[in-house]
Amino acid sequence: MKEAIEKIQQALHGSPTKLVAVTKTKPVEVLAEAYQAGLRIFGENKVQEMTEKYEALPKDIQWHMIGHLQTNKVKYIAPFVAMIQSVDSLKLLQEIDKQAKKCQRIVPCLLQIHIATEETKFGFSEEEATELFASVVLQNLQNVCIKGLMGMASNTTDENQIRQEFKELATLFAHYKNTYQAPNLQWQELSMGMSGDYAIAIAEGSTLIRVGSAIFGGR
Ligand SMILES: *Cc1c(COP(=O)(O)O)cnc(C)c1O
């Protein structure tokens, strides 16, 4: 694990991009080992799993939700989650706002944008996201802060296609950053890149790479 982490950290060297270690399905002992190796941002995709690991591990870990989140489960992670990267509907954003308010928190969020060709991936289309940023509903959500965008490239070996999809997301991010300003919109994070494509993502401007199997092996 140490060598794998070092390899990724070398790829990140000199860039402001941060590593989110995707720890889903891995037992607490493995996370503790990653913590010992210096990692502090962990990504999970299931509420119960994240909550159990949060309770078992040191409190300076930043927990990022990266999987599809059901509205009825937001309340369990609202007290501690560091970022919800997988906001894929206005309804979910409204629920996060409601639960964050109960905890007197402002929860950092990323809007998940659908950039892949596969039908199954969750996320806003560019048009849906633009509609959201242009609308007034965001103004009323004072307990969330949208920090940027998250996207997953197509599951393909075609590097040109992956690069093209990341370029598209980076262009959209730059456009929003230039166009929409509000207290609860802070354009700081562009989350793209996984085990197979993080090098391309870094080159295309990613600020958060989400890497699982390249560190922990297959699932
Ligand atoms: C599982 C997952 C990852 C990590 O995938 P690897 O290929 O194991 O690095 C990244 N992002 C999301 C949204 C995931 O669900």
Side-chain angles (χ1 to χ4, degrees):
M1 182 195 297
K2 265 219 165 94
E3 277 170 29
I5 293 171
E6 272 163 24
K7 186 175 166 216
I8 296 162
Q9 278 166 344
Q10 267 166 23
L12 294 176
H13 189 73
S15 86
T17 312
K18 290 173 298 240
L19 169 61
V20 179
V22 176
T23 48
K24 62 189 185 196
T25 76
K26 300 297 169 187
V28 164
E29 299 74 54
V30 171
L31 277 70
E33 200 184 323
Y35 182 89
Q36 285 303 323
L39 300 187
R40 290 295 180 272
I41 313 178
F42 290 173
E44 290 280 338
N45 67 344
K46 295 215 164 70
V47 165
Q48 189 176 349
E49 196 176 329
M50 179 189 272
T51 306
E52 285 170 8
K53 289 172 175 175
Y54 163 74
E55 279 161 11
L57 287 161
K59 293 297 171 281
D60 60 341
I61 292 170
Q62 297 165 45
W63 295 94
H64 284 215
M65 175 51 67
I66 61 167
H68 176 64
L69 179 57
Q70 289 172 277
T71 49
N72 62 350
K73 294 191 175 163
V74 173
K75 56 176 177 283
Y76 301 114
I77 60 168
F80 69 89
V81 71
M83 184 174 280
I84 298 175
Q85 295 202 8
S86 45
V87 175
D88 56 10
S89 71
L90 173 59
K91 184 169 154 247
L92 177 60
L93 193 63
Q94 287 168 324
E95 179 64 16
I96 297 167
D97 183 68
K98 181 178 157 192
Q99 297 300 334
K101 192 170 195 155
K102 284 187 191 169
C103 312
Q104 295 177 294
R105 293 191 67 208
I106 293 173
V107 171
C109 293
L110 302 182
L111 230 58
Q112 184 173 350
I113 307 292
H114 183 116
I115 54 171
T117 50
E118 291 100 348
E119 286 287 340
T120 54
K121 303 239 165 100
F122 290 101
F124 286 86
S125 67
E126 288 192 17
E127 293 74 21
E128 290 164 341
T130 301
E131 195 181 321
L132 177 63
F133 291 124
S135 82
V136 294
V137 291
L138 274 190
Q139 290 172 13
N140 301 321
L141 306 181
Q142 292 173 358
N143 290 79
V144 290
C145 182
I146 296 177
K147 298 277 186 185
L149 306 178
M150 184 268 258
M152 250 192 282
S154 296
N155 186 11
T156 171
T157 53
D158 182 349
E159 292 201 358
N160 284 325
Q161 184 181 344
I162 293 170
R163 188 178 298 278
Q164 206 46 49
E165 290 172 359
F166 287 157
K167 271 189 199 297
E168 237 174 77
L169 190 61
T171 302
L172 188 67
F173 177 83
H175 168 65
Y176 287 158
K177 188 174 178 167
N178 288 327
T179 311
Y180 302 109
Q181 278 102 27
N184 59 359
L185 287 183
Q186 293 175 9
W187 298 103
Q188 294 165 350
E189 305 291 357
L190 179 56
S191 174
M192 55 188 199
M194 318 197 332
S195 290
D197 55 23
Y198 68 80
I200 304 174
I202 294 166
E204 298 304 330
S206 171
T207 69
L208 289 169
I209 56 170
R210 311 177 308 272
V211 180
S213 48
I215 300 174
F216 303 109
R219 286 179 295 271

